[in-house]
Amino acid sequence: MTTTMAIKVTVNGETRVADVEPRTLLVHWLREDLALTGTHIGCDTSQCGACVVHVDGRAVKSCTMFAAQADGCAVTTIEGLGAADALHAVQDGFWEEHGLQCGFCTPGMIMTAAELLARNPDPSEAEIRHALEGNLCRCTGYHNIVRAIQHAAKGATA
Amino acid sequence: MTTTTKMIGQAIKRREDPKLITGQGQFLDDVKLTGMLHAVVVRSPYAHATIKGIDASKALALPGVVAVFTGEDMSDINPLPCAWAAGKVDNNLNTPRALAVGKAMHVGDGVALVVAEDRYIARDAADLVEVDYEPLAVVVDAKKATEPGAPQLHENAPSNIVMDWECGDREKTDAAIAAAEVTVREQIVNQRLIPTPMETRGSVARYEPATGEFTVWMTSQAPHVMRLLLAAFVFGIPETSVRCISPNIGGGFGQKIFVYADMAFTMWAARKLGRPVKFVEDRAENYQSSTHGRDHITDVEIAGTRDGRITGLRIDTLANLGGYLSTIAPGIPTTLYGRITTGVYKIPAAHCRVRGVYTNTAMVDAYRGAGRPEASYLIERMVDRFAAEIGMDPAEVRRRNFIPPEDFPYSNGMGLLPYDSGNYGPALDRALQIVGYDALRAEQAEARKQGRYLGIGLSSYVEICGVAPSAWIGLPGEGWGAGLWESANVRVHLTGKVVVTTGSLPHGQGLETTFAQIVADELGVPYDDVVVEWGDTSGTPFGFGTYGSRSLAVGGTAIVKTVAKVREKAKLLAAHMLEARVEDIVWEDGKAFVKGSPDQVKTLGDIALQAAVAYSLPEGMEPSLDETTYYDPPNCTFPFGTHVAVVDIDADTGAVSLRRYVAVDDVGTVINPLIVDGQLHGGIAQGVAQALTEGAIYDDDGQLVTGSLLEYAVPKASLFPQFETDRTVTRSPVNPLGVKGAGEAGTIASAQAVMNAVIDALQPFGVKHLQMPATSERVWNAMHGGTRGARS
Ligand code: FES
Ligand code: FES
């Protein structure tokens, strides 16, 4: 079990090199080794989407990928998407429309929504709900999450 | 008192959010301490088994493993307490220990603890622990558990009965039913649910040998209560030796109210090993070993007249409470269920018997709504059954039986304190108007001719929030082993900033925002000058925690009362500073002035500074503007409303789709409509999910078939339409804000709205009742006369 692999990953714009066990999940590497704890873990069967990050621009469940597979990739986590004084449009939408309650699903939701809007800047409600198929929220009933994403889309296309 | 801009009633966005949307929240698994070890539990794969031996040698040989402990090792601490036995009856109590000793009672029961340097090693090592089990006979169904010949789970609980409790008037009810023109009988199952907060549970414990003090970070809705239970009951040490901290909590829904094994075993192991120990459940463990909710089997009979008057209601419920009792398990199906089973109706004779039952399943305790969803589901289904039986429109039957507004405060004869206030008709009318009830009924009739099946379901509900007073709910009355008051401290800093500390424990409800809105208005200070602190037992006054939709009605009122004290003292000091009589002081917008001289003001900051430096105080006044209140309300509050669901059923597949959902709720005064609507949306979603998708299933061997998010159908965004919410406002007379509570109303109202709609749609097929969840298989079978799934 002591074999490790050398990886080089650009995380939130910064180059990170590390030796990781081949079995180390990307989400654990981000959370435990890089202290990027905004990415959450809500399940062990790849259902909940609390762990979604962007890998080379695509929304990926980081619990379903080994850190080693991210070698050579660019990873963006919620911490890299926007800052409190420079929110990404989706973060702002979630704040404006009360798109979160406990906030646990929120980073994954925001990362999924940001990727959706990058692909499809003006999604219909049905398209938004479809895009959220891999993300579970237990607090909001999704109502305001949908509105938050619509808000962000409106801002982006206005 | 007037203020320029009222904050109460404004839909301001939450101050909690900037951290959470940028990934800066601090949740339990984000806690990292120097030298911290990781714990993994070895869990029983059997639902009922004798533990004959545990061999940890292979696990201990793995590099990085620090220790393996068993239940025997932890025999110096007590079992977890049950803090709410059903009131005034015998309770055969059996509670879990930090780890099982001798016997495992359900799949996932913890039998050993592996502690290692990191979580991957701990997980590897857990697989190497060899446990010798002797499987025993298993029972998972509450009805079967009470039958002769069933395996007996606990020596002190013959027929696996925890308690046999009743309320209402049995004789009168029997007589009313015997004499009735119409009676309808049904067996109604309220299936077992798994709360599924998106963050699982966990604990991190640290022990300081030099002082003998524990610090425990926990995913708890009630850290003060945990401190009390862990110190006084489990460890037998002074409360002052334990500090409990709840960081951000990723949803609770009741599951995070209770005292759990991991709190005890991380503390025990941290003390033993002299290093901090972290335990975080994975989702499978959360499903197997944290609490579940509901799980009732009820025989119910409703009686009435042909012209739609309900005259009697008789209920006999078996409540499955699991292999052991969780912290407040027996109180849920008794006080919070039986006593409100008559709902919004004036029913002259009602009786409810509840037996709690042990089975080889995970413990069942409060899950969002806790007892009240089971009660409102039951009565609302039966009112629809009764309406169908006499051929009357379900809206009309409801209207005819509503408790009339002039009857409030209203005693329902079930041993509950009087309903505080209510006006049920307008909420029903408004809901029907929004949904366009008459047009929908016409559409339904037309659709049926074309072989399309549309259903409209109503739910008129009332629930119990802010449960109190302590003298009623407590040991001599309802059996709750503590009080249910709340506390608040408000202090004004030298700079005029106001710091509120509360014993409430927000975990998604937006209480920081709501409380700050209240304080801003009550004290007349800018909203941004108010800071709300919570979550750490060493920095906040004692509070019983956030659950039961009680934080605004009870915790919020404690704050209002505290602010009043601060204001009074500030006025006294201002009078002194302005050399005037206090009777002549006017308090406006956070400033004091003498009546008639509004240009000579003392701001709250001026007064706070004077109070703090104390150079010149009135005779006998203590320094500092700092007040505390302990508030025990005189009664509970009773929110109500009517929800309407509209469903379409696919005749080919039996699939149900929720076309519309209208909710008209009356939660009393609304502080922040954005937050209240959000609470309702989330609550509605959980009830809709119970009706359509969710259900925990154990097979006959006690294996949890729905053991992960793959099998347990937590709903996705595509299940729901946009919810249409509106409200009426009937102030509660119980507290000065007039608030009732909104955290659980959505869940309490929604399952039956959807099921009534589904069953309404299936009326052409002669379907009178269908158990939840209304999966397409179950619906299809009901349409085609099949029995599979139609009953249970
Ligand atoms: S943690 Fe649930 S999908 Fe990744
Ligand atoms: S906000 Fe709590 S799970 Fe989505």
Side-chain angles (χ1 to χ4, degrees):
Chain A
M1 279 303 181
T2 47
T3 9
T4 58
M5 298 173 72
I7 58 168
K8 187 172 166 184
V9 187
T10 307
V11 181
N12 297 334
E14 240 181 273
T15 306
R16 302 290 205 137
V17 288
D19 290 316
V20 296
E21 271 191 66
R23 65 173 178 169
T24 301
L25 297 174
L26 177 59
V27 68
H28 284 142
W29 184 62
L30 293 170
R31 289 180 47 82
E32 307 286 332
D33 296 356
L34 306 189
L36 293 169
T37 54
T39 302
H40 296 152
I41 301 171
C43 72
D44 32 43
T45 49
S46 225
Q47 249 79 41
C48 76
C51 61
V52 170
V53 299
H54 293 175
V55 178
D56 291 337
R58 295 194 48 196
V60 166
K61 289 178 173 172
S62 62
C63 72
T64 311
M65 185 170 169
F66 295 115
Q69 291 174 291
D71 186 27
C73 297
V75 172
T76 306
T77 69
I78 186 71
E79 291 91 343
L81 190 72
D85 53 359
L87 294 177
H88 182 278
V90 175
Q91 290 171 315
D92 190 48
F94 271 70
W95 193 11
E96 289 295 330
E97 297 292 341
H98 188 27
L100 63 152
Q101 290 180 25
C102 77
F104 195 79
C105 73
T106 311
M109 285 284 177
I110 289 176
M111 296 309 282
T112 297
E115 192 228 25
L116 166 70
L117 294 188
R119 271 191 288 119
N120 178 0
D122 191 19
S124 66
E125 182 185 333
E127 284 171 332
I128 292 173
R129 288 184 186 271
H130 180 73
L132 297 179
E133 284 292 276
N135 292 72
L136 297 176
C137 174
R138 194 57 155 167
C139 295
T140 62
Y142 305 99
H143 183 102
N144 285 344
I145 290 179
V146 171
R147 289 168 53 102
I149 298 169
Q150 288 169 333
H151 183 106
K154 235 181 275 154
T157 52
Chain B
M1 192 197 62
T2 58
T3 53
T4 29
T5 342
K6 274 267 177 201
M7 294 304 291
I8 291 180
Q10 284 200 38
I12 55 169
K13 59 186 189 180
R14 301 195 317 172
R15 54 170 61 191
E16 289 86 342
D17 293 355
K19 264 182 9 188
L20 299 169
I21 56 180
T22 53
Q24 305 301 322
Q26 254 269 313
F27 292 88
L28 191 276
D29 200 11
D30 305 342
V31 174
K32 219 179 194 182
L33 305 175
T34 312
M36 188 173 77
L37 297 168
H38 294 263
V40 165
V41 177
V42 178
R43 298 187 180 277
S44 172
Y46 295 103
H48 197 195
T50 306
I51 303 163
K52 293 172 64 188
I54 298 175
D55 180 357
S57 51
K58 284 187 190 140
L60 286 165
L62 194 72
V65 173
V66 175
V68 178
F69 300 116
T70 66
E72 312 271 358
D73 295 330
M74 298 184 187
S75 57
D76 56 339
I77 54 173
N78 298 313
L80 309 181
C82 175
W84 194 4
K88 295 176 183 138
V89 294
D90 291 333
N91 289 256
N92 304 318
L93 301 181
N94 295 279
T95 59
R97 308 189 66 98
L99 291 169
V101 176
K103 243 168 104 174
M105 300 305 296
H106 62 88
V107 163
D109 206 357
V111 301
L113 187 73
V114 177
V115 187
E117 296 290 344
D118 82 29
R119 74 175 81 192
Y120 281 48
I121 297 170
R123 170 70 63 202
D124 288 342
D127 292 340
L128 299 175
V129 175
E130 288 169 3
V131 185
D132 185 9
Y133 295 100
E134 182 158 306
L136 300 167
V138 170
V139 64
V140 298
D141 175 272
K143 203 164 193 88
K144 288 187 187 145
T146 58
E147 286 165 2
Q152 298 297 294
L153 271 54
H154 297 283
E155 270 170 28
N156 68 352
S159 304
N160 298 311
I161 297 289
V162 179
M163 77 285 171
D164 191 343
W165 178 97
E166 63 178 341
C167 68
D169 189 328
R170 182 191 289 266
E171 276 174 34
K172 208 170 145 195
T173 305
D174 288 347
I177 288 175
E181 277 176 33
V182 184
T183 60
V184 181
R185 192 194 300 233
E186 196 60 71
Q187 184 171 94
I188 291 188
V189 175
N190 202 292
Q191 83 272 32
R192 179 181 284 243
L193 301 177
I194 310 182
T196 321
M198 291 322 300
E199 176 202 39
T200 60
R201 289 187 333 87
S203 315
V204 181
R206 182 174 66 193
Y207 181 70
E208 317 273 1
T211 58
E213 283 171 14
F214 290 97
T215 306
V216 194
W217 288 259
M218 47 176 57
T219 49
S220 176
Q221 298 174 229
H224 284 280
V225 179
M226 294 307 103
R227 177 171 74 156
L228 173 67
L229 298 180
L230 289 163
F233 293 87
V234 182
F235 281 80
I237 55 177
E239 233 179 311
T240 45
S241 307
V242 183
R243 173 183 175 191
C244 293
I245 302 173
S246 287
N248 288 128
I249 305 296
F253 315 113
Q255 192 185 63
K256 294 175 181 170
I257 299 171
F258 320 119
V259 61
Y260 279 98
D262 51 276
M263 297 169 182
F265 68 59
T266 53
M267 287 171 68
W268 188 92
R271 181 169 69 181
K272 182 89 181 166
L273 299 170
R275 291 173 67 179
V277 176
K278 177 192 261 191
F279 168 80
V280 180
E281 289 174 336
D282 62 26
R283 181 58 64 186
E285 292 179 289
N286 177 265
Y287 274 22
Q288 288 185 354
S289 61
S290 285
T291 55
H292 296 176
R294 320 276 191 260
D295 207 344
H296 286 193
I297 302 172
T298 298
D299 289 308
V300 52
E301 199 162 2
I302 194 166
T305 60
R306 291 251 157 242
D307 67 354
R309 295 264 162 216
I310 302 169
T311 54
L313 179 68
R314 185 163 58 199
I315 297 164
D316 189 351
T317 295
L318 291 173
N320 191 339
L321 298 179
Y324 311 97
L325 296 182
S326 168
T327 314
I328 59 173
I332 305 304
T334 53
T335 300
L336 292 181
Y337 163 78
R339 298 213 187 280
I340 189 103
T341 42
T342 54
V344 287
Y345 308 107
K346 191 167 179 171
I347 303 179
H351 180 261
C352 176
R353 177 191 191 193
V354 179
R355 281 165 291 168
V357 184
Y358 286 115
T359 62
N360 295 113
T361 60
M363 297 184 286
V364 178
D365 206 324
Y367 165 50
R368 197 173 197 171
R372 291 151 288 160
E374 297 90 311
S376 59
Y377 180 71
L378 189 74
I379 182 67
E380 287 303 280
R381 271 284 36 251
M382 290 311 286
V383 166
D384 260 34
R385 279 286 275 114
F386 173 61
E389 193 73 20
I390 60 172
M392 189 177 282
D393 187 282
E396 185 52 32
V397 173
R398 283 176 172 77
R399 214 174 266 123
R400 284 190 189 188
N401 290 282
F402 278 160
I403 301 156
E406 61 274 16
D407 280 18
F408 290 89
Y410 172 79
S411 289
N412 71 353
M414 302 298 270
L416 193 56
L417 294 173
Y419 294 14
D420 60 342
S421 61
N423 192 2
Y424 301 151
L428 172 67
D429 293 343
R430 183 80 189 115
L432 296 182
Q433 185 199 349
I434 293 172
V435 84
Y437 189 66
D438 295 336
L440 275 172
R441 285 281 176 220
E443 183 190 341
Q444 179 181 49
E446 204 46 46
R448 277 177 184 167
K449 286 184 210 149
Q450 300 163 13
R452 289 187 299 113
Y453 301 99
L454 149 73
I456 308 149
L458 305 184
S459 159
S460 295
Y461 74 96
V462 60
E463 61 125 337
I464 318 168
C465 287
V467 171
S470 303
W472 174 70
I473 191 74
L475 274 182
E478 295 298 296
W480 173 271
L484 269 181
W485 41 265
E486 278 305 321
S487 63
N489 174 267
V490 175
R491 58 184 194 277
V492 187
H493 282 228
L494 273 68
T495 53
K497 288 272 179 195
V498 182
V499 178
V500 182
T501 54
T502 170
S504 298
L505 200 286
H507 49 284
Q509 297 86 350
L511 294 177
E512 275 181 61
T513 300
T514 303
F515 285 172
Q517 285 179 265
I518 294 170
V519 172
D521 272 10
E522 295 286 319
L523 206 50
V525 296
Y527 167 79
D528 287 331
D529 282 353
V530 184
V531 174
V532 180
E533 294 177 345
W534 51 271
D536 183 340
T537 57
S538 79
T540 57
F542 191 97
F544 284 95
T546 292
Y547 44 83
S549 307
R550 62 192 301 275
S551 289
L552 184 53
V554 190
T557 302
I559 291 173
V560 170
K561 292 195 174 280
T562 314
V563 169
K565 289 184 192 169
V566 168
R567 211 173 45 222
E568 287 321 299
K569 183 168 177 181
K571 279 170 77 175
L572 275 176
L573 183 48
H576 178 74
M577 292 164 78
L578 292 164
E579 297 176 352
R581 296 183 323 155
V582 69
E583 300 80 43
D584 296 331
I585 295 292
V586 180
W587 185 265
E588 216 175 87
D589 293 346
K591 296 180 202 75
F593 55 87
V594 181
K595 212 182 295 171
S597 325
D599 38 301
Q600 252 224 322
V601 299
K602 293 292 172 194
T603 65
L604 185 65
D606 300 335
I607 302 166
L609 179 63
Q610 190 54 245
V613 297
Y615 298 155
S616 170
L617 298 180
E619 184 75 32
M621 179 181 278
E622 290 176 12
S624 192
L625 269 187
D626 182 333
E627 300 287 343
T628 299
T629 302
Y630 292 85
Y631 170 68
D632 199 354
N635 192 359
C636 319
T637 58
F638 297 82
F640 60 88
T642 292
H643 289 202
V644 187
V646 183
V647 302
D648 292 296
I649 291 183
D650 183 321
D652 294 330
T653 64
V656 178
S657 70
L658 184 59
R659 184 202 293 193
R660 287 180 66 193
Y661 196 96
V662 172
V664 178
D665 296 281
D666 194 320
V667 299
T669 306
V670 170
I671 308 295
N672 185 328
L674 195 64
I675 289 176
V676 167
D677 283 344
Q679 289 298 303
L680 286 160
H681 298 154
I684 291 166
Q686 285 178 9
V688 171
Q690 173 168 27
L692 296 181
T693 68
E694 289 182 28
I697 299 168
Y698 282 96
D699 68 14
D700 289 343
D701 296 327
Q703 295 298 326
L704 181 61
V705 178
T706 53
S708 80
L709 281 170
L710 265 173
E711 301 89 6
Y712 186 80
V714 168
K716 300 174 176 185
S718 54
L719 187 75
F720 305 105
Q722 288 290 90
F723 306 120
E724 301 164 64
T725 54
D726 196 6
R727 47 186 147 257
T728 59
V729 177
T730 307
R731 286 177 63 92
S732 170
V734 172
N735 57 68
L737 289 167
V739 297
K740 290 192 172 214
E744 296 163 295
T747 311
I748 291 165
S750 48
Q752 61 273 14
V754 175
M755 286 309 292
N756 283 344
V758 170
I759 294 160
D760 179 56
L762 296 177
Q763 193 250 332
F765 299 91
V767 175
K768 293 180 170 169
H769 181 64
L770 198 66
Q771 307 292 13
M772 298 185 285
T775 56
S776 46
E777 181 195 11
R778 195 170 268 174
V779 172
W780 191 92
N781 276 309
M783 294 169 87
H784 293 81
T787 49
R788 254 188 89 199
R791 288 268 142 187
S792 109

